[in-house]
Amino acid sequence: MSQSRQPRRRLLIAEDEAHIASYLSERFTTHGFRTTVVSDGETARRAAMSGGYDLMILDIGLPGEDGFTVVARLRAASSALPVIILSARDTVADTVYGLEGGADDYLTKPFSFEELLARVRLRLRLREADSSVLRRAGIALETRTRQAYADGRIIQLSAREAALLEHLMRNAGSVLSREDLLSDVWGYEASEGSNVVDVYVRYLRRKLGASRIVTVRGQGYRLEGDELA
Ligand code: CA
């Protein structure tokens, strides 16, 4: 059973060279990330738009839409997902084109995994500093102070309550299973019979009102609504 203070970060890896993709996936998993690999541009763009990821590592030479097109279309669609481009092209012109097109950072192949890891962590930290107030489903959550604002009230949350609420807010409108919540918020592997998720959902309902978090029988929990606060 593994344990971590933060929800595991979700990386989208868009890379069509299978050996690089599996290498990245393996190394990032070892460092506590959850990874999803996609191997063409259109799938990468759709996945990136799903809202289910914290950062995308994007190869430029992908089948279908190339990486430059993917990132340009993401930004055109107002996606703020951090994107780090990985590319064999190492000319200055390509770097500038990638960054002007909306990529956050750029690394050329061959690259050192340690450097990529450091850059991924930096991007995630910057993003968190940038967006410490999360607004969704009629709730505003200040993640640094763990204060929630809902129905005109300020609600102080514990660290775990805030982490659970943040995860529910980031996935507002979707049903999240107990197993996924246990893994994403507590960093545990699914453990049969643990009721810790239900206990914390009860705490949140007590603080935020019972109707916001819906029980979907046999499936899990869903935070109602996706409108902005
Ligand atoms: Ca490629």
Side-chain angles (χ1 to χ4, degrees):
M1 182 178 282
S2 66
Q3 206 173 354
S4 63
R5 284 194 194 89
Q6 286 190 322
R8 278 195 285 168
R9 299 303 179 196
R10 297 182 182 205
L11 288 189
L12 179 61
I13 299 170
E15 170 61 71
D16 63 321
E17 284 169 68
H19 68 285
I20 298 179
S22 63
Y23 168 77
L24 289 176
S25 179
E26 215 175 287
R27 296 296 309 270
F28 277 107
T29 302
T30 303
H31 283 81
F33 292 83
R34 300 183 79 177
T35 62
T36 300
V37 171
V38 295
S39 57
D40 71 88
E42 193 182 339
T43 309
R45 181 168 49 78
R46 288 178 194 279
M49 288 301 293
S50 72
Y53 298 95
D54 297 298
L55 186 144
M56 173 161 64
I57 294 169
L58 177 64
D59 179 35
I60 288 303
L62 288 175
E65 292 172 16
D66 71 8
F68 291 135
T69 307
V70 170
V71 75
R73 291 187 67 176
L74 279 181
R75 296 309 182 231
S78 301
S79 166
L81 182 72
V83 174
I84 297 180
I85 284 179
L86 274 189
S87 174
R89 305 179 193 180
D90 57 359
T91 66
V92 172
D94 276 346
T95 309
V96 169
Y97 187 64
L99 296 175
E100 281 185 349
D104 298 277
D105 205 349
Y106 192 102
L107 211 55
T108 54
K109 298 173 182 173
F111 57 90
S112 115
F113 176 78
E114 298 308 324
E115 183 173 2
L116 178 59
L117 177 64
R119 291 187 187 210
V120 165
R121 285 181 168 154
L122 173 66
R123 280 300 136 197
L124 291 173
R125 277 202 304 278
L126 290 174
R127 188 198 189 200
E128 273 154 24
D130 236 29
S131 60
S132 69
V133 180
L134 181 64
R135 293 171 207 279
R136 209 156 294 169
I139 302 168
L141 174 66
E142 162 62 77
T143 54
R144 269 179 296 196
T145 60
R146 304 195 305 261
Q147 286 181 326
Y149 305 82
D151 307 320
R153 291 182 304 134
I154 298 176
I155 303 146
Q156 185 64 51
L157 301 173
S158 72
R160 194 67 81 183
E161 289 166 351
L164 175 59
L165 179 60
E166 179 178 349
H167 197 70
L168 288 167
M169 287 173 74
R170 291 195 187 281
N171 296 282
S174 311
V175 181
L176 301 172
S177 71
R178 286 176 179 77
E179 290 72 27
D180 283 347
L181 289 168
L182 206 53
S183 148
D184 291 340
V185 178
W186 277 262
Y188 296 160
E189 293 312 315
S191 101
E192 195 84 16
S194 167
N195 70 342
V196 66
V197 172
D198 309 85
V199 169
Y200 274 84
V201 165
R202 208 148 60 223
Y203 292 161
L204 283 181
R205 281 177 172 158
R206 209 171 288 161
K207 291 186 172 181
L208 294 165
S211 63
R212 289 187 187 275
I213 303 171
V214 174
T215 304
V216 181
R217 198 175 292 272
Q219 294 184 48
Y221 293 107
R222 184 181 68 222
L223 184 68
E224 282 293 38
D226 199 15
E227 75 281 16
L228 296 177

